[in-house]
Amino acid sequence: MQMETYGNPVLNQLPQHLKRYVVPQHYQRYTAIDQAVWRYVMRQNYAYLRDIAYYPYIPGLRKAGLTIEEIPNLQAMNDSLKKIGWGAATVDGFIPPAAFMEFQAYRVLVVAADIRQIEHIEYTPAPDIIHESSGHAPIIGEPEYAAYLQYFGEIGTKAMFSEKDFELYEAIRHLSILKESSSATLKQIETAEGKLVDIQSNMGEPSEMALLSRLHWWTVEYGLIGTVDDPKIYGAGLLSSIGESASCMRKEIPKLPYTLKALDYSYDITKPQPQLFVTSDFNQLREVLDQFANTMSFRIGGKLGLEKAIACKNLCTIVYSSGLQISGLFHPGIVDETIAYIKTVGPTALAYQDKQLMGHGKSYHADGFSSPVGRLSGSDKAFEDFDESDMNRYGIEIDKESIFLFESGIEVRGIVRSIVKQDNKIQLITLAPCQVIDSRSCQILFDPEWGTYDMAVGEHIVSVFCGAADKEAYEQGVSVSANKTIVQEQDEVGKAKNKLYSLIRQRRKGESQISLTEIYEMIAQNFSMDWLAYVETLELAVHDQHEHLAKQIENRLQEIISHHKHLRKLILDGIQLAKNNQIALLLSK
């Protein structure tokens, strides 16, 4: 199925390996109950956030193509976002962190297509359209912040992750799907929670991606800006949580200056945050991110980077100083104080500037790749910088036998068949037949009977990062998680309740003449504990100055509170907002 791009050029330029995560929005799936949940959360957000959000909330929503009244349509969002060089695409719940970061690098907000159930109206453990759109999108209109988001995505795309990171992602995704599914059993949820706790308890040293995720959490999701004594909210997790956006501002929640020390604070997505970080401005966010990026393998390369690639047990890319990129699953080669010989197992691809070299894809190098790293013995310059006179001096000539003895003791002997040179750098020399040995241990690393040998050329490994250099070429046919979000099927009770919410919605829009008294009686007779239906009706009764009915509804809501204490704040906030004519006037402008 072709991805919908909504006429937005930002979405058109997404690569295929990212497009496979995009799913249709299916706007018709949103029920009248879903619309009521959106409307309740957004009205509560505005009532509170207009005073403590960093940016003007309503103008920010409008810039992103959002309204208080309706779940956003991706077409409207993209019509607005493309004016500021961004786009939005719907995905199925959590996607892998590396993919999320890469979408961000391409200036695309990923929006979970589903919306939370009433039971999780204050906070949901799963990504949903409320969090992604009302939290992230409105602040994109701030140029400095938008630039930070894109830069964070570019850094995150290069981050090394561990095998445990991927296990953790799958466990979180599975649990979030179960928690938002009305058909999930308590035992299923408890089992999934137990597995998540077990993985979290055995993560070992945090990877680059895990540490980077902390910076993302304490800024993009839960960030405050201003001063420690007078902060404002800009983090999407707070902006989209009607519970935590209020509780987080209490004085007993520590507010710490944002520095690289935020890396020392892990987080739990299922609990309120025990502390928050305050940045003085958005420039500081970039400065801290750069401090961390300077310690990452994609910037330092070398032995440390290679060791991380081997330890992560996932597809990685190393970059030679010649610019040649090797993408594969790295295993221990020969490394002492420096790297002497690299080795991959399984499908491997060679690339330059993130484009696969012709004839050097993973099908050709299906069984792995190996090559020396370093300078030729007795040479005063890097091998990749050899000119014609250097080649003659070392006897390197097409269709002639050559001997390459590296300072490390690796010896490559064979007939040169071709030489790949780009931007005045030698990158690859193909030999057949060929023998490669470690002269110090007399270990045979490649035998002539094994066929053609492709020798990478480069004095150093200058960069190491997770994933393939040319993702389009390498990741063809790679599938997304088989664990899909569960689409809820409404039973007869659910259908009847949705019909009731549809009547309330039509009445608000002036599309139905049904009386509010009739609606109230329908709720009382059929869904007597549905607090949100009462709140929606109370708002209409107050607007129509139906004082007697409004008092009846309010009394009924107080009765629900007496039986369900956990609903107290939700209901009281709903009553207060329904009776607040000033908010109603502001929202109607």
Side-chain angles (χ1 to χ4, degrees), residues 104-124:
Q104 210 166 277
Y106 278 96
R107 303 191 309 280
V108 173
L109 288 177
V110 288
V111 178
D114 294 304
I115 187 167
R116 66 193 67 177
Q117 300 176 65
I118 291 179
E119 292 80 7
H120 297 149
I121 197 167
E122 285 187 285
Y123 173 81
T124 173

Side-chain angles (χ1 to χ4, degrees), residues 54-55 104 136 139-140 142-153 155-156 211-212 214-226 232-236 239 256-263 276-294 296 299:
Y54 170 70
Y55 56 92
Q104 210 166 277
H136 288 289
I139 197 171
I140 293 295
E142 298 286 333
E144 284 184 351
Y145 183 75
Y148 169 72
L149 265 190
Q150 182 181 5
Y151 186 55
F152 203 116
I155 300 296
L211 292 173
L212 199 60
R214 293 180 187 179
L215 296 186
H216 197 271
W217 187 262
W218 299 125
T219 60
V220 175
E221 295 294 352
Y222 280 82
L224 301 176
I225 188 169
K232 299 289 186 183
I233 294 174
Y234 73 90
L239 292 172
L256 309 176
Y258 181 64
T259 67
L260 199 58
K261 290 182 179 179
L263 288 172
L276 296 170
F277 294 87
V278 186
T279 185
S280 56
D281 54 40
F282 291 138
N283 281 331
Q284 187 190 9
L285 299 183
R286 188 172 182 126
E287 289 170 5
V288 171
L289 178 58
D290 256 332
Q291 289 175 38
F292 178 66
N294 286 337
M296 293 172 65
R299 285 193 177 170

Side-chain angles (χ1 to χ4, degrees), residues 21 28 50 113 123 135 142 162 164 179 196 278 318-319 332 366 469 530 554:
Y21 291 103
Q28 70 279 5
R50 64 196 178 104
Y123 173 81
E142 298 286 333
S162 70
K164 285 289 185 182
K179 283 194 169 184
L196 177 58
V278 186
I318 67 168
V319 185
D530 194 324
E554 191 171 347

Side-chain angles (χ1 to χ4, degrees), residues 8 10 29 32 74 76-77 98 103 120 181 245 254 274 294 303 333 343 350 369 393 419 427 473 508 580:
N8 189 340
V10 176
R29 282 187 187 169
L74 264 288
M77 284 189 71
F103 272 107
H120 297 149
S181 170
S245 60
N294 286 337
K303 178 182 175 182
K343 178 180 177 60
L350 312 187
F369 182 88
R393 187 166 66 253
I419 299 173
Q427 294 183 330
R508 184 185 306 106
N580 192 327

Side-chain angles (χ1 to χ4, degrees), residues 94-253:
F94 279 112
I95 63 173
F100 180 89
M101 295 289 184
E102 197 172 358
F103 272 107
Q104 210 166 277
Y106 278 96
R107 303 191 309 280
V108 173
L109 288 177
V110 288
V111 178
D114 294 304
I115 187 167
R116 66 193 67 177
Q117 300 176 65
I118 291 179
E119 292 80 7
H120 297 149
I121 197 167
E122 285 187 285
Y123 173 81
T124 173
D128 81 327
I129 197 165
I130 293 177
H131 169 75
E132 307 291 356
S133 56
S134 72
H136 288 289
I139 197 171
I140 293 295
E142 298 286 333
E144 284 184 351
Y145 183 75
Y148 169 72
L149 265 190
Q150 182 181 5
Y151 186 55
F152 203 116
E154 291 169 355
I155 300 296
T157 302
K158 301 291 189 182
M160 301 291 292
F161 57 87
S162 70
E163 192 175 25
K164 285 289 185 182
D165 288 332
F166 195 76
E167 287 181 25
L168 181 65
Y169 154 71
E170 286 286 3
I172 290 173
R173 176 177 169 82
H174 179 57
L175 177 59
S176 68
I177 288 172
L178 289 177
K179 283 194 169 184
E180 276 296 319
S181 170
S182 59
S183 61
T185 66
L186 182 61
K187 182 171 179 55
Q188 285 178 314
I189 292 174
E190 288 176 347
T191 300
E193 286 176 333
K195 183 175 181 180
L196 177 58
V197 169
D198 183 60
I199 293 172
Q200 287 175 323
S201 302
N202 295 280
M203 290 295 293
E205 278 294 309
S207 66
E208 288 180 356
M209 182 62 83
L211 292 173
L212 199 60
S213 294
R214 293 180 187 179
L215 296 186
H216 197 271
W217 187 262
W218 299 125
T219 60
V220 175
E221 295 294 352
Y222 280 82
L224 301 176
I225 188 169
T227 66
V228 168
D229 296 325
D230 184 28
K232 299 289 186 183
I233 294 174
Y234 73 90
L238 293 174
L239 292 172
S240 61
S241 171
I242 56 178
E244 204 163 0
S245 60
S247 64
C248 79
M249 299 306 280
R250 294 199 301 258
K251 290 191 175 180
E252 56 264 34
I253 304 298

